[in-house]
């Protein structure tokens, strides 16, 4: 993912913008939406999809974020973004679902910064 490459200090904003854009443009076919929906129907498939997504994310983040606890931090980012995806694109209710894309980006950046760069 091109959004990962670059200055680590601007990484949270790049991730937030990319994630919000991809969710908005996916038409319900975003991998996180697929993962969430597959848990209800086929837990084994969901586990394999989640593991593949986690492995891919770790490989990308390793290139730009050195330091301890990377697996835990990347897992926390994934969990946070899955929760946002659920609220906004599966459940479609609550404050996150009601935000504009730019509001959501502004909301996500400090959370992602706290997880990734601490």
């Amino acid at each position: 993912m091109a959004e990962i490459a670059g200055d680590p200090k601007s990484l949270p904003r790049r991730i937030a913008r990319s994630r919000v854009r991809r969710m908005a443009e996916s038409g319900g076919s975003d991998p996180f939406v697929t993962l969430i929906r597959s848990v209800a129907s086929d837990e084994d498939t969901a586990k394999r999809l989640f593991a593949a997504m986690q492995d891919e994310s770790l490989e990308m983040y390793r290139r730009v974020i050195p330091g301890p606890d990377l697996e835990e931090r990347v897992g926390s980012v994934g969990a946070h973004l899955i929760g946002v995806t659920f609220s906004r694109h599966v459940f479609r209710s609550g404050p996150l679902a009601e935000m504009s894309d730019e509001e959501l980006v502004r909301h996500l950046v400090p959370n992602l910064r706290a997880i990734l760069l601490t």
Side-chain angles (χ1 to χ4, degrees):
M1 177 183 339
E3 293 84 7
I4 300 296
D7 183 3
K9 290 179 183 176
S10 62
L11 181 61
R13 178 160 304 283
R14 292 192 315 270
I15 291 170
R17 281 191 177 144
S18 172
R19 184 81 207 113
V20 169
R21 178 185 45 78
R22 283 186 289 148
M23 284 189 295
E25 294 174 355
S26 72
S29 63
D30 181 81
F32 281 9
V33 173
T34 302
L35 174 66
I36 292 166
R37 290 185 173 145
S38 68
V39 169
S41 60
D42 189 347
E43 192 174 323
D44 289 334
T45 298
K47 285 179 181 179
R48 287 192 301 275
L49 177 58
F50 181 77
M53 291 169 66
Q54 188 77 0
D55 290 345
E56 182 179 326
S57 294
L58 278 170
E59 276 307 307
M60 289 186 291
Y61 284 107
R62 268 193 189 102
R63 298 175 188 163
V64 294
I65 303 176
D69 306 322
L70 181 62
E71 288 185 18
E72 289 85 353
R73 290 185 286 152
V74 171
S76 293
V77 166
H80 187 69
L81 294 176
I82 287 169
V84 169
T85 301
F86 177 80
S87 295
R88 192 165 172 93
H89 294 279
V90 177
F91 191 61
R92 297 181 183 153
S93 183
L96 296 178
E98 295 168 8
M99 289 179 183
S100 70
D101 288 352
E102 271 309 306
E103 288 173 317
L104 183 59
V105 168
R106 284 192 304 272
H107 176 76
L108 287 174
V109 169
N111 297 319
L112 296 174
R113 185 177 317 291
I115 295 168
L116 289 171
L117 303 179
T118 58

